[in-house]
Amino acid sequence: MKYILSPSLLSADFTRLERDIRICEDNNVPYLHVDVMDGHFVPNISIGVPVVKSIRQCTDLVLDVHLMISQPERYIEAFAEAGSDIINIHYEAEGDKKSLLKKIRAMGRSPAITIKPDTSYTEVLDLCEYVDMFLVMSVEPGFGGQSFIEKTLKNVEGLAQYRAKNNLSYDIEIDGGINASNLTKPLDAGANVIVAGSAIFGAEDTAAEIQKFKEIMSRYEVNL
Ligand code: DX5
Ligand code: ZN
């Protein structure tokens, strides 16, 4: 299994996005996590299609786009065309999830389903054949810098057990409140894609913080 760090640009310096992206590239980070918020599904507004397009022009890293929007069906095409590689839609959003995930796949992008902390993983198991990844939120979506919600580890564990039992290979991503001190918790539970925003871009030395994360994650790669 591959262990992947996906730094969330929500906590990057928006006036120096390119610099922050280069720091990720220079430290061999494979993914960039891009948080899209509509002010409706979540109480915050962040970035949209034009910014994803600009980020795409600036890097070849995998763009892991997290759509925190009520009506993903209206925007999937635009985000795919803007250059998203992975498109995460929320289970709690509007629309038929199977057909939305199929649409993402048909556009040559990687489909993923996201669950909020109060949603149980059991509700999304029947979507497993349509996704490459499940994204487990470990904070209420909307803002960076919140505290990790412990009970969400149950969702990671449940998805990991189901994956092993059924010989499946989807990725399990965790997002919210992760830092170098609590990183082993989601890794022990079975997550293999780690999002971190404020811990990485809020650090005094972002490159050093990335290396710290990678060192901890590499212990898991060796073990498997
Ligand atoms: C929250 C976003 C997260 C956020 C994580 O709604 O989905 O990706 O940027 O930030 P931290 O790591 O600071 O909790
Ligand atoms: Zn996110």
Side-chain angles (χ1 to χ4, degrees):
M1 184 176 315
K2 42 192 174 49
Y3 285 79
I4 291 170
L5 183 59
S6 189
S8 168
L9 291 177
L10 189 62
S11 292
D13 182 342
F14 283 2
T15 65
R16 292 167 152 195
L17 261 189
E18 184 169 14
R19 178 202 63 177
D20 287 351
I21 290 168
R22 296 287 170 253
I23 295 174
C24 293
E25 288 178 341
D26 292 347
N27 286 279
N28 298 311
V29 162
Y31 285 11
L32 291 173
H33 186 83
V34 183
D35 289 300
V36 175
M37 305 179 188
D38 66 355
H40 186 260
F41 184 76
V42 289
N44 195 9
I45 297 176
S46 55
I47 64 174
V49 173
V51 179
V52 173
K53 210 180 269 179
S54 297
I55 295 171
R56 178 74 295 160
Q57 280 158 12
C58 155
T59 183
D60 289 329
L61 294 186
V62 172
L63 297 186
D64 169 30
V65 175
H66 177 192
L67 298 183
M68 284 163 274
I69 63 178
S70 294
Q71 298 184 309
E73 72 274 16
R74 291 177 62 192
Y75 300 98
I76 280 173
E77 220 170 308
F79 280 103
E81 277 164 10
S84 312
D85 295 295
I86 301 168
I87 301 184
N88 297 277
I89 58 167
H90 265 269
Y91 174 69
E92 304 85 357
E94 293 171 27
D96 177 60
K97 303 306 161 327
K98 280 183 191 168
S99 61
L100 292 174
L101 294 166
K102 277 191 207 163
K103 188 172 172 185
I104 294 170
R105 179 85 72 203
M107 295 197 72
R109 308 303 193 230
S110 182
I113 201 94
T114 309
I115 53 173
K116 299 208 288 185
D118 288 335
T119 302
S120 166
Y121 75 96
T122 54
E123 294 188 47
V124 293
L125 290 176
D126 66 332
L127 295 173
C128 71
E129 61 185 288
Y130 302 95
V131 301
D132 291 334
M133 181 167 82
F134 286 105
L135 167 52
V136 173
M137 289 305 301
S138 41
V139 296
E140 285 300 331
F143 299 91
Q146 303 181 76
S147 301
F148 182 76
I149 300 172
E150 295 275 337
K151 71 162 187 188
T152 60
L153 289 171
K154 288 252 177 301
N155 279 335
V156 175
E157 284 159 5
L159 287 168
Q161 278 159 14
Y162 189 81
R163 178 174 61 187
K165 201 169 127 201
N166 295 283
N167 233 343
L168 297 167
S169 59
Y170 51 76
D171 290 318
I172 303 173
E173 180 171 47
I174 185 131
D175 179 10
I178 312 284
N179 53 53
S181 314
N182 63 15
L183 174 57
T184 55
K185 291 185 183 181
L187 290 170
D188 287 339
N192 68 303
V193 183
I194 304 291
V195 178
S198 51
I200 286 181
F201 294 111
E204 214 161 284
D205 184 342
T206 291
E209 202 60 27
I210 290 172
Q211 289 308 325
K212 209 186 272 180
F213 269 70
K214 286 179 68 175
E215 191 279 314
I216 296 166
M217 291 166 75
S218 73
R219 297 180 207 160
Y220 286 77
E221 283 184 76
V222 170
N223 288 340
L224 284 161

